[in-house]
Amino acid sequence: MPASKKNQKDKDRVPEGVITLYDVADNATRRAKAVEVKKYATKDTLNLCMKDKQSISFELFFLLLALILLFLLFVEFFGIYRPYLRVEQAEAALDGDRATLAQLERKLRDYDDVHDDYLIYNFDDYDNTIVDREKILALLEKTVFDRGTVSSVSISGKTLTINISNVSSENVINIQRDLAKDPIVANVRKGAETFDEQGVRSTSFTVTLADASLGGN
């Protein structure tokens, strides 16, 4: 190889650690020292050893289980049992009301019959000052019936008229006296005495009854 070409090749050889830079704007090249890149340690192995996670302790497990059970009991008591208990109580009250209603309905079944019977002995605008008729009948049984023959008895308002025959003069006096003493009687007047062909005495009494609303009943 000629010496000139060898020198030229040695000139074109880039020394180690030197780089050639090309400047486009100037259309020229220049050389500069390359920056040394430091090498860092790299990991070329894989650690397949995996650390086990720590398991939960028995104490913590049972504590969590107890808390869960308490929560479920709480939900069941307030969410299910209490509403169901209120429904049962409401149904029991409803059954009681139904039984009471059925009892009232049974009592009212004969209402129409009772009402009809009531109308036989009572009527609207009845005068409550008139003495009870049962008391009047008891008065006649006590003072009149066993002392002669009662031919008629009539009542109009507070006026009681008694016609009696076959009565002695003594019994006439006793009847008038006993009638006047009774608390349901306000006044007694004896009518005229008459005699038939056989001499049987007949007479009448007009009795004014006391006001029942003032205690005469």
Side-chain angles (χ1 to χ4, degrees):
M1 178 184 293
S4 59
K5 289 183 178 182
K6 185 178 179 181
N7 293 333
Q8 183 66 33
K9 188 175 180 180
D10 292 337
K11 183 185 289 187
D12 294 337
R13 183 180 298 170
V14 179
E16 186 178 356
V18 177
I19 60 176
T20 302
L21 301 176
Y22 178 73
D23 191 347
V24 179
D26 296 336
N27 195 16
T29 59
R30 59 187 180 86
R31 294 178 179 179
K33 187 176 181 180
V35 178
E36 183 179 359
V37 179
K38 295 182 179 180
K39 293 183 179 181
Y40 294 93
T42 59
K43 183 176 181 181
D44 53 5
T45 59
L46 180 62
N47 187 5
L48 297 179
C49 180
M50 183 175 62
K51 185 178 180 181
D52 294 335
K53 293 183 179 180
Q54 185 177 1
S55 61
I56 187 172
S57 64
F58 286 103
E59 293 81 0
L60 182 58
F61 172 77
F62 286 113
L63 177 60
L64 293 177
L65 182 61
L67 292 176
I68 292 173
L69 291 177
L70 287 176
F71 176 75
L72 292 177
L73 290 175
F74 180 84
V75 172
E76 181 179 359
F77 180 78
F78 289 99
I80 300 176
Y81 176 75
R82 288 283 297 274
Y84 180 76
L85 180 61
R86 286 195 294 267
V87 171
E88 280 191 336
Q89 292 174 347
E91 289 180 348
L94 180 59
D95 291 339
D97 294 339
R98 286 174 177 172
T100 302
L101 179 61
Q103 184 178 5
L104 292 175
E105 288 178 348
R106 288 193 297 269
K107 290 182 179 179
L108 293 176
R109 284 175 184 172
D110 59 346
Y111 172 79
D112 293 336
D113 296 335
V114 174
H115 184 260
D116 293 339
D117 293 340
Y118 177 82
L119 292 179
I120 295 176
Y121 304 101
N122 299 274
F123 53 89
D124 295 335
D125 299 327
Y126 181 78
D127 187 359
N128 61 0
T129 63
I130 299 176
V131 177
D132 191 331
R133 296 301 187 257
E134 291 185 356
K135 289 189 175 183
I136 296 175
L137 180 59
L139 173 65
L140 295 176
E141 290 177 345
K142 182 176 64 175
T143 60
V144 179
F145 287 168
D146 60 347
R147 289 172 174 170
T149 302
V150 177
S151 56
S152 66
V153 175
S154 63
I155 301 176
S156 177
K158 297 178 184 178
T159 302
L160 171 66
T161 302
I162 307 168
N163 292 314
I164 185 170
S165 62
N166 195 20
V167 58
S168 65
S169 60
E170 181 181 2
N171 281 334
V172 169
I173 296 173
N174 292 335
I175 290 173
Q176 185 174 8
R177 181 196 63 205
D178 292 343
L179 285 173
K181 290 193 305 181
D182 198 280
I184 70 172
V185 175
N187 184 35
V188 180
R189 288 176 300 143
K190 186 180 76 68
E193 296 182 359
T194 61
F195 297 88
D196 60 10
E197 295 178 354
Q198 287 78 26
V200 176
R201 179 186 285 108
S202 298
T203 188
S204 63
F205 295 93
T206 303
V207 179
T208 302
L209 300 171
D211 190 340
S213 62
L214 299 178
N217 195 11

